[in-house]
Amino acid sequence: MRDSERVLNSLTKHSKLSTYKYERLYRVLFNEEMYYVAYQHIYAKPGNMTPGSDGKTINGMNLTRIEKLIQSLKDESYQPQPSRRTYIPKKNGKVRPLGIPAFDDKLLQEVIRMILEAIYEGHFENCSYGFRPKRSCHTALSQIQKSFNGAKWFVEGDIKGFFDNIDHNIMIDILRERISDERFLCLIRKFLNAGYIEDWQFHKSHSGTPQGGIVSPILANIYLDKLDKYMMEYIRKFDKGENRKTNKERIQYEYGKRLAVAKLKSVADKDERKTIIKQIKAFDRSRASISCGEEMDCDYRRMKYVRYADDFLIGIIGSKEDSQKVKEDIKNFLQSKLKLELSDEKTLITYSEKSAKFLGYEIYVRKSNLTKRNKSGRLMRAFNKKVYLKLTTDVMKKKLLEYGVLQIKTHNGKERWKPKARVQFINNDDLEILDRYNSEIRGFYNYYSIANNCSIMHAFKYIMEYSMYKTFACKYRTTVVKIARKYKQNKVFTVHFKTRKGESKIRVFYNEGFKRKTQNYQSWVDNLAITYTTSTTSLTDRLKAKKCELCGAADKKLHMHHVRKLKGLDKKKPWERHMIARRRKTIALCASCHKLTDIGKQD
């Protein structure tokens, strides 16, 4: 049996060859090693403890389940369970449907995802950043900031109900271009057609990918790769001219400066030299305030494109008519080739000096006459026509309201932000309250740390800090002033606590500042070669050992017992103490121990 590393790397070798067709992929699904790696990948996700439509969870995972799954694939009797539909709230007040698949289906989907990723990752365009290894929202935004400089217009793109409207036949036809294995394609179609259960009623799925399914993101990228390739070809035809025409107005200042410099060499009088030097500096300032090239040059056009999932942003150096034509062409392509529809509400054409919204940021090209000298000492407008990533107060306000730490009062028509206590946490201990506030501040900062104006997060921190003070004041029925006096050490809010070993430690409120992070993601992401290496599959190694980790019985078929959180264990039972001592949310048990554990009789 080939190990998973060799299987995936052999598939990756031909990923960039668009004409290469993969055959006999279905037999890869018979490889147990692939399932061991898949199990290792997904076991820690809390959602695995939520029952699917079959009522089962990851709890009780064993090697027999994998063997039965492989056998059902061999005799082609495998049929995925319909997912259990639930709804999660969106930021705009609406709800998003989410499917919860059965765990065995999740495991098989993860194996399929690994195979598809190995096949397609090298085939994807560099303009795509969603649901891909080593890529993120930050790499997409970093690419925009690097390559969209000088853009005149933005086209903000959003595909209406993308995940619900993927056409199954088109999806399979796209896969068939690279995969010549009908059994493998038939299996993917089974997942697409599996349907869902809502209010105990079965609903067929005639289009779309299963939301919540592990394989859905990679299928979505394969589907929209057609759009990416269309856009890359469109850009090649759209771009025109090597350079802009030289701005003639700038030439006169260059010429005036050269004459002044030549004159300075022949003048000896100090006062006259000072006058000439002033003239040279004035020529420099005037030259720096004017663009090198003609901004209205009709013979020069450029377009840049970045996509994250079903959202994309296009930057255009050209006219508004060009932008409108680009939008219309994309709309026609999506309708005719992919049977998708652009959202008219969200697909906007925006002048670049106004803000376009993308991935939670507002993006615009700033106009600035601020100058500084470059390495050669030449005066330049360093910030003009550069992309600016902006964090807005509206985003901060929504997040603070979401956390429940903000109340807004109006005075003379103006909003005033006031911190608010979170009374739902007054029964938590001091360290839990502090850790929650710290993690929320760090999470918000980590996402918006590449914003040019990320220093405005001090206002966010202020509301969070005083909300925490008020929460502590409610807990101890005292005032904010007394709480600050009691807990502050060296002007920093500090909580003392003891570890399980009895050691005294302290934890402080976040005080690391909000400095902008400027990592250059793009320089290495585009040239990244994906290779697969063998990772330790400790879970399956423990199952293969056939030794119960609780009673010590040997040569037994084991079941992996999972818990959602170690914090929920009460330390009364031996298996709980065993898990807490090893800081593991899993324990390999023989059948009898696992049965007693599940029904709560093990003591």
Side-chain angles (χ1 to χ4, degrees):
M1 187 184 298
R2 296 174 71 197
D3 62 57
S4 59
E5 178 186 347
R6 290 180 62 189
V7 171
L8 295 173
N9 283 327
S10 66
L11 294 174
T12 304
K13 285 180 184 177
H14 307 288
S15 180
K16 292 185 179 181
L17 301 173
S18 58
T19 55
Y20 185 85
K21 278 206 168 189
Y22 290 86
E23 299 176 351
R24 296 183 292 178
L25 286 179
Y26 194 75
R27 68 177 185 174
V28 177
L29 302 175
F30 306 156
N31 189 332
E32 288 183 19
E33 294 290 332
M34 296 290 289
Y35 295 87
Y36 300 156
V37 175
Y39 181 36
Q40 188 77 25
H41 283 174
I42 67 176
Y43 85 96
K45 296 178 181 178
N48 290 323
M49 293 300 292
T50 304
S53 58
D54 61 353
K56 296 179 182 178
T57 68
I58 191 174
N59 192 30
M61 183 63 191
N62 54 64
L63 300 181
T64 306
R65 278 174 82 170
I66 293 175
E67 291 166 6
K68 286 181 179 177
L69 183 57
I70 292 173
Q71 185 56 44
S72 69
L73 289 166
K74 285 181 177 178
D75 60 26
E76 298 187 35
S77 63
Y78 173 79
Q79 181 62 45
Q81 299 285 333
S83 58
R84 185 167 63 83
R85 174 155 287 192
T86 185
Y87 293 90
I88 55 174
K90 294 170 71 174
K91 289 181 180 179
N92 59 7
K94 297 179 181 178
V95 291
R96 185 190 303 278
L98 182 69
I100 302 173
F103 179 73
D104 286 358
D105 295 340
K106 283 184 184 178
L107 191 65
L108 179 56
Q109 282 192 42
E110 175 61 16
V111 174
I112 293 171
R113 186 203 65 78
M114 291 191 296
I115 293 169
L116 290 176
E117 183 181 274
I119 292 171
Y120 282 96
E121 183 56 36
H123 180 70
F124 289 150
E125 299 291 337
N126 285 327
C127 56
S128 165
Y129 289 88
F131 314 123
R132 293 182 63 187
K134 306 295 183 182
R135 292 171 181 250
S136 65
C137 296
H138 279 191
T139 56
L141 291 161
S142 178
Q143 168 65 357
I144 288 169
Q145 191 152 45
K146 179 183 176 183
S147 62
F148 280 44
N149 292 325
K152 201 78 174 174
W153 300 95
F154 289 133
V155 180
E156 306 169 53
D158 182 88
I159 299 169
K160 188 184 289 185
F162 168 65
F163 286 96
D164 293 328
N165 292 307
I166 288 177
D167 187 278
H168 292 175
N169 292 327
I170 294 175
M171 180 81 256
I172 296 299
D173 287 343
I174 291 171
L175 290 167
R176 194 173 278 125
E177 290 175 9
R178 301 220 63 193
I179 297 171
S180 182
D181 186 335
E182 288 303 316
R183 288 199 298 170
F184 188 81
L185 296 176
C186 182
L187 179 61
I188 292 176
R189 189 181 280 277
K190 281 182 179 181
F191 278 113
L192 294 173
N193 294 334
Y196 62 92
I197 291 175
E198 185 177 6
D199 296 329
W200 303 104
Q201 280 194 326
F202 173 73
H203 299 265
K204 290 183 179 179
S205 50
H206 300 287
S207 64
T209 59
Q211 293 209 19
I214 291 172
V215 79
S216 296
I218 185 78
L219 290 177
N221 269 338
I222 292 168
Y223 201 81
L224 283 181
D225 184 59
K226 288 292 181 184
L227 172 63
D228 298 339
K229 286 183 166 42
Y230 169 76
M231 288 305 301
M232 291 301 101
E233 184 60 32
Y234 196 102
I235 287 169
R236 280 190 283 274
K237 293 176 181 176
F238 180 90
D239 289 355
K240 185 166 69 171
E242 291 187 12
N243 293 297
R244 277 196 174 110
K245 291 177 184 175
T246 304
N247 194 329
K248 293 180 180 178
E249 191 179 348
R250 188 184 173 96
I251 295 173
Q252 63 179 331
Y253 296 113
E254 293 276 9
Y255 182 68
K257 181 185 174 181
R258 281 201 299 272
L259 291 178
V261 169
K263 186 177 179 182
L264 184 66
K265 291 177 181 177
S266 60
V267 172
D269 184 67
K270 288 184 179 180
D271 292 335
E272 193 174 349
R273 284 180 69 86
K274 285 181 182 179
T275 304
I276 294 170
I277 289 169
K278 284 182 181 178
Q279 288 176 355
I280 292 170
K281 289 181 178 179
F283 281 129
D284 257 347
R285 286 192 296 272
S286 299
R287 175 192 52 77
S289 66
I290 298 169
S291 299
C292 296
E294 284 188 22
E295 289 192 22
M296 304 304 290
D297 184 1
C298 297
D299 297 322
Y300 182 83
R301 293 191 311 190
R302 286 292 182 273
M303 188 196 301
K304 298 292 180 181
Y305 163 84
V306 165
R307 179 180 64 81
Y308 190 95
D310 57 338
D311 294 329
F312 60 84
L313 186 68
I314 298 171
I316 293 174
I317 296 176
S319 65
K320 188 174 183 180
E321 289 72 24
D322 291 332
S323 305
Q324 289 169 337
K325 187 176 186 305
V326 168
K327 177 185 171 181
E328 195 61 31
D329 288 342
I330 293 172
K331 184 177 180 179
N332 293 336
F333 172 81
L334 288 173
Q335 284 178 340
S336 61
K337 301 295 183 182
L338 301 177
K339 294 187 180 178
L340 295 172
E341 186 180 351
L342 275 183
S343 171
D344 291 327
E345 297 174 2
K346 297 179 182 178
T347 305
L348 308 172
I349 296 173
T350 311
Y351 183 55
S352 64
E353 289 181 19
K354 296 179 180 178
S355 293
K357 292 180 180 178
F358 189 66
L359 299 179
Y361 282 74
E362 286 199 0
I363 301 169
Y364 66 92
V365 176
R366 57 180 159 177
K367 192 172 183 180
S368 171
N369 288 321
L370 293 174
T371 58
K372 71 174 185 180
R373 296 193 181 275
N374 62 14
K375 291 180 181 179
S376 61
R378 191 178 179 84
L379 203 65
M380 300 184 72
R381 285 188 295 175
F383 308 105
N384 192 47
K385 300 297 180 183
K386 301 288 186 184
V387 170
Y388 191 94
L389 301 179
K390 184 180 179 182
L391 165 62
T392 63
T393 53
D394 279 344
V395 169
M396 290 198 298
K397 182 171 74 174
K398 285 177 183 177
K399 182 57 71 174
L400 291 168
L401 289 170
E402 182 186 319
Y403 288 155
V405 300
L406 177 67
Q407 56 181 336
I408 300 173
K409 295 183 178 179
T410 307
H411 181 73
N412 293 333
K414 291 184 179 179
E415 280 188 356
R416 291 199 173 179
W417 294 10
K418 298 288 182 183
K420 185 172 73 171
R422 297 161 93 175
V423 293
Q424 66 269 34
F425 299 135
I426 61 175
N427 293 322
N428 293 11
D429 63 41
D430 292 357
L431 187 62
E432 286 177 330
I433 297 171
L434 176 65
D435 281 349
R436 185 176 189 91
Y437 277 91
N438 278 345
S439 64
E440 287 169 347
I441 292 169
R442 283 195 176 94
F444 189 76
Y445 171 51
N446 284 342
Y447 187 74
Y448 288 100
S449 59
I450 62 172
N452 290 76
N453 65 331
C454 67
S455 61
I456 71 165
M457 274 186 265
H458 285 286
F460 179 86
K461 181 196 169 188
Y462 172 84
I463 297 294
M464 294 291 284
E465 183 175 4
Y466 277 85
S467 167
M468 184 184 68
Y469 293 165
K470 288 188 173 186
T471 303
F472 272 88
C474 283
K475 178 178 178 178
Y476 293 107
R477 297 184 181 181
T478 184
T479 64
V480 168
V481 173
K482 289 180 180 178
I483 287 293
R485 193 180 296 147
K486 177 183 175 182
Y487 283 91
K488 279 197 173 182
Q489 292 182 5
N490 300 321
K491 298 183 179 180
V492 179
F493 189 91
T494 307
V495 168
H496 293 261
F497 66 99
K498 286 191 176 182
T499 63
R500 291 193 184 98
K501 295 179 181 179
E503 298 173 350
S504 294
K505 290 195 173 184
I506 63 169
R507 195 160 296 163
V508 299
F509 183 69
Y510 181 85
N511 63 346
E512 296 166 24
F514 299 102
K515 187 178 179 181
R516 185 182 176 224
K517 296 178 183 177
T518 54
Q519 291 171 294
N520 187 13
Y521 297 99
Q522 192 60 28
S523 60
W524 58 270
V525 165
D526 281 354
N527 300 314
L528 189 67
I530 301 297
T531 55
Y532 296 89
T533 55
T534 303
S535 60
T536 55
T537 54
S538 60
L539 286 170
T540 46
D541 288 343
R542 286 156 65 197
L543 286 171
K544 287 176 182 178
K546 296 184 178 181
K547 184 177 179 180
C548 179
E549 294 178 354
L550 190 60
C551 70
D555 293 323
K556 297 281 186 179
K557 285 190 175 181
L558 301 181
H559 301 259
M560 192 66 74
H561 180 67
H562 291 253
V563 296
R564 193 183 290 269
K565 290 181 180 178
L566 288 176
K567 196 174 182 181
L569 304 180
D570 58 14
K571 307 180 189 178
K572 291 179 181 179
K573 302 177 181 68
W575 64 271
E576 291 178 322
R577 291 196 294 271
H578 185 282
M579 295 177 83
I580 290 168
R582 286 157 182 76
R583 295 184 182 179
R584 280 179 174 168
K585 293 192 286 186
T586 58
I587 181 171
L589 303 170
C590 62
S592 57
C593 285
H594 188 250
K595 184 179 179 183
L596 291 170
T597 301
D598 270 350
I599 61 178
K601 290 183 179 178
Q602 184 67 272
D603 48 36

